[in-house]
Amino acid sequence: MSTLLYGRPPVVFDPPSTGAGGAIQTSPLIPGSTALETVPEGSVDEIMVYAPPGVLERRYTLALALKALKVGGRLDVMALKDKGGSRLKKELTGFGLEVGETAKAHHRRCIVVRPETTAGIDEAIAEGAARIVPGLEAWSQPGIFAWDRIDAGSALLAEYLPALNGAGADLGCGYGALATVVLRSAGVTGLRLIDLDRRAVEAARKNVEDSRASFEWADVRTLAAAGELNFVVSNPPFHDGGAEDRRLGQAFIRKAAELLKKGGVAWIVANRHLPYEAELNAAFGRVRLVADEGGYKLFEAVK
């Protein structure tokens, strides 16, 4: 293992290629990638990290990368200035490193060489690791959507969701909060929990102990769909890399329709400002606004 890559840095930073003979991808947001947590300590020559915006998640990732590096190995890390980049140098210095910093394309870039000794690595890993969150009493991890709380949109969906029947899917399942509500219905025969985030899927496996549940680390947008499901529930994402992207939710709506059989139902919640009505009306035969509360809209859509 000579070179690792975490995330998808902009091409202006000349990221290494992945694939046969190339760098090994380690982002939990890229299905099929290698978990950085599993990389043997001191086994890597170079790592490029496109740092995540959350403080705990970013420090955890940097600490894991430093742990994986050989002494003398090179860490090349960058982030948008307003998405953690302005803090990179200070955070890396806090690990006992000498840091070279440059600015480019609205990013800050830091390059360090792994010294013999570091500071605070184990503490940062512990702070960013998966754990049972007090109050939730569920497994979660910094970096997962709404990792330490019940998201208000999901709570609204759970409040109005009727007892469902047959086979269904939870698109963007997170750590499994909504799935636990769906599976209270004895009429549910199976539920696919699908998320782009490996950490969310791993947490959901621990939180949803039900033989009717199955778990998939996958990009919802590229799922094969045969129109076989009775229902879909979803609180679609609308951020990609920290920036709002309404196309994500629109893609989830289209995929929900593709997954459902004729007469199947989708329960979808979204922030009030997101314009999903046109996409819903185009993809479904009947659409009903069930609730408009607390900044969220809840729709029932029948294929």
Side-chain angles (χ1 to χ4, degrees):
M1 229 178 249
S2 59
T3 304
L4 301 183
L5 180 64
Y6 185 98
R8 294 190 174 101
V11 293
V12 70
F13 296 110
D14 194 25
S17 61
T18 56
I24 296 171
Q25 179 61 253
T26 59
S27 170
L29 302 180
I30 300 176
S33 65
T34 296
L36 188 52
E37 293 87 344
T38 67
V39 176
E41 185 173 352
S43 65
V44 177
D45 295 309
E46 293 182 289
I47 304 178
M48 178 178 279
V49 173
Y50 195 49
V55 175
L56 292 177
E57 180 188 9
R58 184 172 59 251
R59 294 186 72 252
Y60 174 78
T61 302
L62 295 175
L64 286 173
L66 289 166
K67 194 168 187 177
L69 278 174
K70 299 174 181 177
V71 173
R74 182 177 186 266
L75 171 63
D76 184 353
V77 55
M78 68 286 300
L80 280 164
K81 183 179 177 181
D82 60 353
K83 300 291 183 183
S86 62
R87 304 180 62 160
L88 273 181
K89 183 175 182 179
K90 182 178 180 180
E91 290 172 347
L92 289 166
T93 301
F95 288 132
L97 309 172
E98 292 187 13
V99 183
E101 183 185 41
T102 57
K104 188 175 185 179
H106 307 292
H107 288 68
R108 294 287 175 85
R109 182 182 197 176
C110 294
I111 296 176
V112 301
V113 174
R114 172 70 153 85
E116 286 275 1
T117 59
T118 57
I121 297 294
D122 291 338
E123 291 83 354
I125 291 174
E127 289 171 356
R131 82 287 300 269
I132 295 177
V133 179
L136 286 181
E137 305 310 320
W139 282 91
S140 190
Q141 184 174 0
I144 296 173
F145 170 70
W147 78 275
D148 59 351
R149 66 189 189 278
I150 299 292
D151 173 70
S154 295
L156 181 66
L157 201 164
E159 178 184 349
Y160 283 91
L161 192 68
L164 298 171
N165 294 284
D170 181 352
L171 305 184
C173 65
Y175 59 80
L178 197 53
T180 61
V181 177
V182 173
L183 289 167
R184 290 174 189 164
S185 172
V188 172
T189 58
L191 181 65
R192 296 168 61 186
L193 281 73
I194 307 166
D195 205 286
L196 183 67
D197 191 332
R198 170 182 52 78
R199 300 162 301 186
V201 175
E202 290 175 351
R205 284 183 189 275
K206 297 177 181 178
N207 294 328
V208 184
E209 296 180 348
D210 191 304
S211 61
R212 295 171 293 168
S214 61
F215 305 87
E216 302 171 43
W217 179 24
D219 187 336
V220 164
R221 295 168 294 183
T222 60
L223 285 176
E228 297 175 339
L229 297 181
N230 301 102
F231 68 86
V232 166
V233 297
S234 187
N235 180 0
F238 63 97
H239 285 92
D240 187 6
E244 183 174 311
D245 187 349
R246 300 176 179 187
R247 293 172 299 178
L248 277 173
Q250 292 165 347
F252 268 56
I253 289 166
R254 291 192 297 271
K255 185 60 64 174
E258 292 171 15
L259 288 164
L260 290 168
K261 61 176 60 175
K262 184 71 172 176
V265 61
W267 285 82
I268 294 174
V269 67
N271 288 63
R272 181 181 287 148
H273 76 279
L274 296 171
Y276 290 161
E277 285 84 351
E279 204 72 39
L280 283 162
N281 286 316
F284 290 90
R286 186 170 77 251
V287 178
R288 178 171 70 98
L289 178 64
V290 176
D292 186 348
E293 301 174 15
Y296 292 87
K297 298 178 291 189
L298 174 62
F299 299 97
E300 178 193 34
V302 179
K303 185 172 178 180

